[in-house]
Amino acid sequence: MNMAEKYMYPASHRVNKEIRSLNMETRKNNWSILGFGCMRFPTGKGHRINMKETERELAYAIRHGINYFDTAYVYQGSEKVLGILIEKNHWRKKIEIATKLPHYFIHSLENAEKYFPNSCHGFAQIILIII
């Protein structure tokens, strides 16, 4: 890898060519063994999420077999951006999403029912698992 490849491209492009050509392994439930964490999407001016760069990274991951995405209410806009991009690109049937509710707000089932719909912007077909 030359210096330009190392520093000018996001981590998703720094993977060696041999790994890029492999198919993503999946678990028995058909989830990719490698997930995509949505805690820190690329940001631009004012620390706002850069939609274009985020969309490019998500598309790259999906094209390369990643179908498990992890987000959370506390990831400052990640759920909303993920939902918008899923809807825009028609990715919902291609991916699985894990999200988490803010434990400090959830003291009852009623609290969970209040925050959960807001947590799932654009996800559709959600299965609620209460642990």
Side-chain angles (χ1 to χ4, degrees):
M1 175 182 331
N2 66 36
M3 292 296 278
E5 288 176 324
K6 186 172 182 180
Y7 295 105
M8 294 180 67
Y9 298 102
S12 59
H13 288 283
R14 291 186 221 145
V15 182
N16 73 42
K17 291 176 184 174
E18 182 180 320
I19 292 174
R20 283 187 199 178
S21 67
L22 296 175
N23 289 327
M24 179 61 63
E25 290 182 45
T26 58
R27 298 189 183 280
K28 289 179 184 178
N29 60 7
N30 204 36
W31 294 4
S32 55
I33 58 173
L34 179 62
F36 190 107
C38 302
M39 184 176 194
R40 291 185 182 93
F41 282 145
T43 57
K45 293 181 180 178
H47 301 287
R48 292 180 183 221
I49 294 174
N50 180 324
M51 294 289 281
K52 186 176 180 180
E53 183 65 17
T54 300
E55 182 174 13
R56 190 187 64 73
E57 289 185 9
L58 292 172
Y60 183 90
I62 292 168
R63 262 194 327 273
H64 288 84
I66 295 175
N67 67 0
Y68 176 77
F69 292 80
D70 175 75
T71 185
Y73 178 90
V74 297
Y75 293 174
Q76 299 182 357
S78 134
E79 288 177 326
K80 183 175 182 179
V81 167
L82 183 60
I84 290 167
L85 293 175
I86 287 169
E87 193 173 322
K88 175 184 176 189
N89 293 284
H90 310 284
W91 289 332
R92 186 61 195 103
K93 291 184 179 180
K94 296 179 181 182
I95 67 173
E96 304 294 337
I97 303 162
T99 191
K100 294 154 296 286
L101 296 174
H103 67 281
Y104 44 86
F105 289 150
I106 310 302
H107 303 290
S108 66
L109 182 56
E110 289 77 25
N111 286 128
E113 289 171 345
K114 176 182 175 185
Y115 287 97
F116 188 70
N118 294 330
S119 205
C120 301
H121 174 81
F123 294 171
Q125 300 175 329
I126 300 292
I127 297 171
L128 176 58
I129 301 172
I130 300 175
I131 300 175

